[in-house]
Amino acid sequence: MMTSYPKFTAMLTDLYELTMAQVYYREGMFKPATFSLFIREYPPNRGYFISAGLENALAFLESARFMPDDIQYLDSTGLFSHDFLNYLAGFRFTGDVVAVPEGELFFKDEPVLEVTAPIIEAQLVETALINIIHLQVTLATKVSRCVHAARGRSIVDFSLRRTHGVDAGMAVARAGYIAGMSATSNVLAGKIYGIPVAGTMAHSFITSFESEINAFRAFADIFGDRTVLLIDTYDTLAGAEKAVTVAREMKAQDRRLRGVRLDSGDMTELSRQVRDLFRREGVPDIQIFASGGYDEFKIDRSIREGAEIDAFGVGTKMGVSADSPYADIAYKLVQFDSRPVMKLSSGKRTLVAPKQVFREEQDGRLAKDTISLREESLAGRPLLKTVMQDGKAVDAPEPLNVIRERFRSAFEKLPEEVRAITDPEPYSVGISERLTALQRKVRHSVIAKELGES
Amino acid sequence: MMTSYPKFTAMLTDLYELTMAQVYYREGMFKPATFSLFIREYPPNRGYFISAGLENALAFLESARFMPDDIQYLDSTGLFSHDFLNYLAGFRFTGDVVAVPEGELFFKDEPVLEVTAPIIEAQLVETALINIIHLQVTLATKVSRCVHAARGRSIVDFSLRRTHGVDAGMAVARAGYIAGMSATSNVLAGKIYGIPVAGTMAHSFITSFESEINAFRAFADIFGDRTVLLIDTYDTLAGAEKAVTVAREMKAQDRRLRGVRLDSGDMTELSRQVRDLFRREGVPDIQIFASGGYDEFKIDRSIREGAEIDAFGVGTKMGVSADSPYADIAYKLVQFDSRPVMKLSSGKRTLVAPKQVFREEQDGRLAKDTISLREESLAGRPLLKTVMQDGKAVDAPEPLNVIRERFRSAFEKLPEEVRAITDPEPYSVGISERLTALQRKVRHSVIAKELGES
């Protein structure tokens, strides 16, 4: 929406974070707390998540501040004391963060990130941290499903026009590139993230010319071998014949038409007819792109039905993760002042204490994860790494290609039944004996104290 | 996601806008074009849309620029000539815009906005315009459904943590306030838009104290009459009894507990039990807030089942418009160089030429809209106003409360069967005789030319 607000403002928060913080401040509660960020349940048809957004989250933690006009606004609400507002004016995040590296897979109940900081600081960053990680995890996971369904064909992100704002458009491009898509139409993302950009032409381009073939020629004349012609403005097969004409004209000038795009109608059937035409006309290597309502389900179906499509332009349904636009992500206090804590609210389990996750492989495939206490050392590879200490990121941001390769290699090892795009089977995630015992103990003592005392 | 990008960058565009623009530039196509922004179909259970986002769209059009480092990046793609890059470096939008004022209702096929500008300019702003209007229309419409379902009870926006980025969080607050919600938890939106802010406390706040009642007391001590206690951390009814204790302690100091919040379990049933308890204990006026998974459907059900809930905290499902996170919005060329144009692509109708919409009322209710040519004058009230001329907004931005009141008054006149939250009936939208005739004529001439010539 491009409202004018400073990047990394600490004002990106729910009011209750500030009211709670004022109580902590007044009560002198500056002891360290650990909060755990995790997803409680798989959204429909999901069996895994991709860690994404960490770079943005750390940048937020390093830079979040309240500016003088923020303090003035907060003062105007009449909710806050001057000494607390003074505290906010000097606020910066000084805590530690452990996290699952971006591109790595994680599963439900597993912390993707844990913050340990004075409780007032850890609380104030809750809203922004959840927002950043939730968005990129949701989108990376969605895009990975489209890439998986495409079985090696390219996925190009066409979603910017209908993502939920600019942040979301940038997040699709970044998270989607991690998850294996080939390119994006988003020019700003191309510039900022160095992601390959791609695009063809719009119907308006065609209709602005006196005739379709003149529009094709004008475009091919400038873009040569990078030309992809949109052929469905009036009639797809008639458009394909004009594309053949243009391809021949180009050939006579030693240039090659790269492809055509279909954007309406029964594209599976049309793609076969267009391919047949191209074969008959001796230009079988013109690529066929298709766009229009694609998501992992439609891609999967079209390939199973024999579509002759080389690349999919995937837009809205991927960019808003339409079949499942959110995940049940939570940021829960699990330890305060060395005391493990939990809430009992019905149906919502939180695992107490700072944690680690160990991942075991068997025969080159992911076999089993175990969630443990942070200090445990179990079989397998620990997933959570220290990424921030005393409010400073431990390492420079990772290049996007490194993260993309980490995902590629992790996903390759994920059993097909877990990564299936419909009805995946649950991946095995256990809880260590020590964590199980502590969980039971804390639960009993909370019940005794809170439900006994009333 | 809070990537660092300049506000209002013209780089918020799909690559094809730039490649097409280069062709227009090279071909000297600077003649005026009119593009129409409209929604083709109602998403599930929708029978109306609320115009929203215009202020942001106009701000974008006034300010969109390519900066020197943008030009440098575009040059690096190898797609663009130096004379065209020079053109972009000096780009600004110089066109005219007509639009349905924010807060007004509109219906499918009706243009919510039309741009008339040199085709190259009108094309370059497509992606950002669609993105801005689509997001706010989608969210305003969603929030209005929650407000309608609540039958006078308050709706408070709790969605910031799971909206698709910050832009979306700001858009929910702004568009949702237009659509009648009472307040938002989003502190930045409170500051920037002057929307009332509200909030209670989190489970982490409760669990960070040695006991629940001490957490309650510490909060009430500071916030007095503005205190709303979260009572479900351990057991909702036990929490309600502790809230009664705190309410009595406050009363002894001449203070009043404002309310309690339920956030888990069967909240319809729990709200009745809590209300009974409050009545028995002589504190019947403590308000009951509820949050957790609400949307228009759950609100409607809970009220029909007799929930004793005074206000709903509505989060994720509203903030991402979960049941329908996008609309089939399009920005289509309808006239170029005084020539009305259309595409024929199957199943996608676009109404040609610059248009107007006339709205008729009967007995104080909305009765019928008619889409006409821009220059026609029909019965009823014309909806589209000139909002930008020569690239400058005609008026200063409207105060949000004016827009909110415009919506309130329009919605009041919308027949209940059209605004029903499930299976609404379609509102009557006709097409004028002259537009119908022109539509037919253009269609025939396009078919003759494009499908005859191949």
Side-chain angles (χ1 to χ4, degrees):
Chain A
M1 203 177 47
M2 295 162 290
T3 315
S4 170
Y5 49 81
K7 291 296 132 200
F8 304 126
T9 168
M11 294 284 279
L12 277 172
T13 190
D14 292 299
L15 182 67
Y16 80 170
E17 314 287 10
L18 290 166
T19 51
M20 291 188 285
Q22 176 161 253
V23 180
Y24 295 142
Y25 180 80
R26 160 100 161 258
E27 300 276 322
M29 290 165 73
F30 293 95
K31 294 278 172 55
T34 299
F35 281 77
S36 201
L37 189 65
F38 63 100
I39 301 179
R40 285 186 202 285
E41 290 298 339
Y42 293 117
N45 288 315
R46 269 49 166 191
Y48 64 88
F49 303 106
I50 306 171
S51 175
L54 185 59
E55 176 181 339
N56 311 83
L58 296 180
F60 173 81
L61 292 176
E62 283 189 332
S63 311
R65 302 283 185 277
F66 294 93
M67 295 296 156
D69 58 331
D70 297 332
I71 300 297
Q72 211 176 327
Y73 164 75
L74 293 175
D75 194 15
S76 76
T77 66
L79 284 165
F80 305 107
S81 67
H82 283 166
D83 54 347
F84 176 64
L85 291 173
N86 269 342
Y87 165 79
L88 291 183
F91 170 82
R92 50 207 54 201
F93 180 79
T94 65
D96 301 339
V97 178
V98 300
V100 176
E102 292 195 85
E104 190 60 89
L105 299 170
F106 70 102
F107 300 93
K108 82 178 179 107
D109 292 326
E110 297 181 351
V112 61
L113 181 151
E114 290 191 334
V115 169
T116 300
I119 190 166
I120 189 166
E121 296 176 20
Q123 190 79 66
L124 278 171
V125 300
E126 171 177 26
T127 311
L129 271 189
I130 294 178
N131 187 298
I132 293 166
I133 301 290
H134 173 258
L135 177 61
Q136 289 207 36
V137 168
T138 297
L139 294 175
T141 304
K142 178 71 177 179
V143 175
S144 75
R145 295 165 53 78
C146 296
V147 172
H148 187 49
R151 301 171 175 76
R153 293 160 190 84
S154 297
I155 297 293
V156 178
D157 164 32
F158 279 1
S159 66
L160 178 59
R161 63 189 53 200
R162 295 204 199 89
T163 58
H164 286 192
V166 176
D167 287 339
M170 296 299 285
V172 183
R174 181 181 188 277
Y177 191 66
I178 291 172
M181 74 189 193
S182 304
T184 180
S185 67
N186 180 339
V187 177
L188 188 61
K191 177 190 170 202
I192 292 185
Y193 298 127
I195 298 169
V197 288
T200 63
M201 59 182 57
H203 297 107
S204 56
F205 179 81
I206 304 293
T207 56
S208 72
F209 281 78
E210 279 292 331
S211 73
E212 188 177 38
I213 199 162
N214 285 352
F216 287 177
R217 285 174 177 139
F219 198 94
D221 197 37
I222 294 186
F223 293 103
D225 297 356
R226 294 165 89 160
T227 301
V228 177
L229 301 172
L230 176 63
I231 60 173
D232 77 324
T233 304
Y234 303 112
D235 176 274
T236 301
L237 292 175
E241 289 180 16
K242 291 172 201 161
V244 170
T245 304
V246 172
R248 291 214 177 100
E249 291 167 3
M250 291 177 75
K251 203 170 173 191
Q253 305 167 322
D254 252 351
R255 306 175 99 184
R256 216 182 114 261
L257 176 63
R258 178 157 177 229
V260 297
R261 174 162 74 103
L262 319 178
D263 188 54
S264 56
D266 177 347
M267 289 183 279
T268 297
E269 179 54 28
L270 285 168
S271 70
R272 282 197 297 236
Q273 296 177 9
V274 171
R275 183 76 74 201
D276 283 347
L277 173 74
F278 288 170
R279 285 196 186 109
R280 280 199 311 275
E281 299 287 347
V283 284
D285 54 346
I286 296 177
Q287 286 193 289
I288 300 177
F289 291 74
S291 58
Y294 282 103
D295 61 9
E296 64 271 47
F297 307 110
K298 184 171 172 182
I299 292 169
D300 179 62
R301 202 166 50 242
S302 77
I303 292 176
R304 281 191 286 103
E305 291 172 356
E308 288 276 357
I309 294 169
D310 301 297
F312 295 91
V314 188
T316 307
K317 287 183 184 169
M318 180 174 86
V320 302
S321 192
D323 71 315
S324 180
Y326 66 92
D328 189 8
I329 194 168
Y331 179 82
K332 290 294 166 190
L333 180 65
V334 296
Q335 180 160 293
F336 177 58
D337 191 14
S338 308
R339 173 174 65 87
V341 297
M342 78 166 51
K343 65 169 187 166
L344 301 174
S345 316
S346 26
K348 296 183 178 178
R349 181 180 73 165
T350 300
L351 296 169
V352 298
K355 287 173 289 294
Q356 181 54 278
V357 177
F358 290 89
R359 177 160 298 164
E360 293 174 77
E361 297 185 12
Q362 205 163 22
D363 307 325
R365 326 224 77 190
L366 303 193
K368 179 176 190 268
D369 284 5
T370 305
I371 308 174
S372 72
L373 296 175
R374 181 83 59 85
E375 69 265 26
E376 289 189 78
S377 180
L378 303 179
R381 183 167 62 88
L383 290 187
L384 293 152
K385 316 275 185 206
T386 298
V387 293
M388 175 169 273
Q389 273 182 324
D390 302 329
K392 295 260 169 290
V394 169
D395 296 306
E398 295 188 293
L400 219 46
N401 277 321
V402 169
I403 300 172
R404 180 177 162 99
E405 175 54 26
R406 181 179 297 128
F407 167 70
R408 200 199 55 70
S409 135
F411 194 71
E412 208 174 62
K413 293 180 185 169
L414 189 63
E416 184 54 35
E417 63 271 20
V418 178
R419 63 189 194 182
I421 64 165
T422 46
D423 301 322
E425 286 183 22
Y427 179 75
S428 169
V429 177
I431 297 173
S432 76
E433 285 178 26
R434 283 183 57 195
L435 178 53
T436 305
L438 181 63
Q439 187 79 2
R440 194 179 303 124
K441 187 177 141 208
V442 174
R443 191 180 161 80
H444 286 163
S445 84
V446 168
I447 289 175
K449 180 151 53 79
E450 291 300 330
L451 307 187
E453 84 176 22
S454 69
Chain B
M1 203 178 47
M2 294 163 290
T3 314
S4 171
Y5 49 81
K7 292 296 131 198
F8 305 125
T9 169
M11 294 285 278
L12 278 172
T13 191
D14 292 300
L15 182 67
Y16 80 170
E17 314 287 11
L18 290 166
T19 51
M20 291 187 286
Q22 177 161 253
V23 180
Y24 295 142
Y25 180 81
R26 161 99 161 257
E27 300 276 322
M29 290 165 73
F30 292 95
K31 293 278 171 55
T34 299
F35 281 78
S36 202
L37 189 64
F38 62 100
I39 302 181
R40 283 186 204 285
E41 291 297 340
Y42 294 117
N45 289 313
R46 271 41 167 198
Y48 65 88
F49 303 106
I50 305 171
S51 174
L54 185 58
E55 175 182 339
N56 311 82
L58 296 180
F60 174 81
L61 291 177
E62 283 189 331
S63 312
R65 300 285 184 278
F66 294 94
M67 296 295 156
D69 57 333
D70 298 332
I71 301 296
Q72 210 176 330
Y73 164 74
L74 292 175
D75 194 17
S76 78
T77 65
L79 284 165
F80 304 107
S81 67
H82 282 167
D83 53 349
F84 176 64
L85 291 173
N86 269 341
Y87 165 80
L88 291 183
F91 170 81
R92 51 207 56 201
F93 180 79
T94 65
D96 301 337
V97 179
V98 300
V100 176
E102 292 195 86
E104 191 59 90
L105 299 171
F106 70 101
F107 300 93
K108 79 177 180 115
D109 292 327
E110 296 181 351
V112 62
L113 182 151
E114 290 192 333
V115 169
T116 299
I119 191 166
I120 189 166
E121 297 177 20
Q123 190 80 66
L124 279 171
V125 299
E126 170 176 27
T127 311
L129 272 189
I130 295 178
N131 187 297
I132 293 167
I133 300 290
H134 173 258
L135 178 61
Q136 289 208 35
V137 168
T138 298
L139 294 175
T141 304
K142 178 71 176 179
V143 174
S144 75
R145 295 165 53 78
C146 296
V147 172
H148 186 51
R151 302 170 176 72
R153 293 161 189 83
S154 297
I155 298 293
V156 178
D157 164 32
F158 280 1
S159 67
L160 179 59
R161 64 189 53 199
R162 295 204 200 90
T163 58
H164 286 192
V166 176
D167 288 339
M170 296 300 283
V172 183
R174 182 182 187 276
Y177 191 66
I178 291 173
M181 74 187 194
S182 304
T184 179
S185 68
N186 179 340
V187 177
L188 188 60
K191 178 190 169 200
I192 291 186
Y193 298 128
I195 298 169
V197 288
T200 64
M201 59 182 57
H203 298 108
S204 56
F205 180 80
I206 306 292
T207 56
S208 72
F209 281 78
E210 278 293 329
S211 73
E212 188 177 39
I213 198 162
N214 285 352
F216 288 178
R217 284 172 175 141
F219 198 93
D221 197 36
I222 294 186
F223 293 104
D225 298 356
R226 295 167 88 160
T227 301
V228 177
L229 301 172
L230 176 63
I231 60 173
D232 78 322
T233 305
Y234 303 113
D235 176 273
T236 301
L237 292 174
E241 289 180 14
K242 290 172 201 162
V244 170
T245 304
V246 172
R248 292 216 176 99
E249 291 168 3
M250 290 176 75
K251 203 170 174 190
Q253 305 168 320
D254 253 351
R255 306 176 99 185
R256 215 180 117 260
L257 177 63
R258 179 159 175 226
V260 296
R261 174 161 73 104
L262 319 178
D263 187 54
S264 57
D266 177 348
M267 288 182 280
T268 297
E269 180 54 27
L270 286 168
S271 71
R272 283 198 295 237
Q273 295 178 10
V274 170
R275 183 76 75 201
D276 284 347
L277 173 74
F278 288 170
R279 286 198 186 108
R280 279 199 310 276
E281 299 286 348
V283 285
D285 54 346
I286 295 177
Q287 288 193 287
I288 300 177
F289 292 74
S291 58
Y294 282 102
D295 61 9
E296 64 271 46
F297 306 109
K298 185 171 171 181
I299 291 169
D300 179 62
R301 201 164 52 241
S302 76
I303 292 176
R304 283 191 286 101
E305 291 172 354
E308 290 274 357
I309 294 169
D310 301 296
F312 295 91
V314 188
T316 306
K317 287 182 185 170
M318 181 174 83
V320 302
S321 192
D323 71 315
S324 181
Y326 67 92
D328 189 8
I329 194 168
Y331 178 81
K332 290 295 165 191
L333 180 65
V334 295
Q335 180 160 291
F336 178 58
D337 193 12
S338 309
R339 173 172 65 87
V341 298
M342 76 166 48
K343 64 169 189 166
L344 301 174
S345 314
S346 27
K348 295 185 178 176
R349 183 181 70 166
T350 299
L351 296 169
V352 298
K355 287 173 290 294
Q356 180 55 277
V357 178
F358 290 90
R359 177 160 299 165
E360 293 174 77
E361 297 187 10
Q362 205 162 24
D363 308 325
R365 327 223 77 189
L366 302 192
K368 177 175 191 270
D369 285 6
T370 306
I371 308 174
S372 71
L373 296 176
R374 181 82 59 83
E375 68 265 26
E376 288 189 78
S377 181
L378 303 180
R381 184 167 59 90
L383 290 187
L384 291 153
K385 316 274 186 207
T386 298
V387 293
M388 175 168 274
Q389 274 183 322
D390 302 329
K392 295 262 169 286
V394 168
D395 297 304
E398 295 188 293
L400 220 46
N401 277 320
V402 169
I403 300 172
R404 180 178 162 97
E405 174 54 27
R406 180 179 297 128
F407 167 69
R408 199 199 55 71
S409 137
F411 195 70
E412 210 174 60
K413 294 180 186 169
L414 189 65
E416 184 55 34
E417 63 270 20
V418 177
R419 63 190 195 180
I421 63 166
T422 46
D423 300 323
E425 287 182 21
Y427 179 75
S428 168
V429 177
I431 297 174
S432 77
E433 285 177 27
R434 283 182 56 195
L435 178 52
T436 305
L438 180 63
Q439 187 78 3
R440 193 178 306 123
K441 187 178 140 207
V442 174
R443 192 179 159 79
H444 287 164
S445 85
V446 167
I447 289 175
K449 180 150 54 80
E450 291 300 332
L451 308 186
E453 83 173 28
S454 69

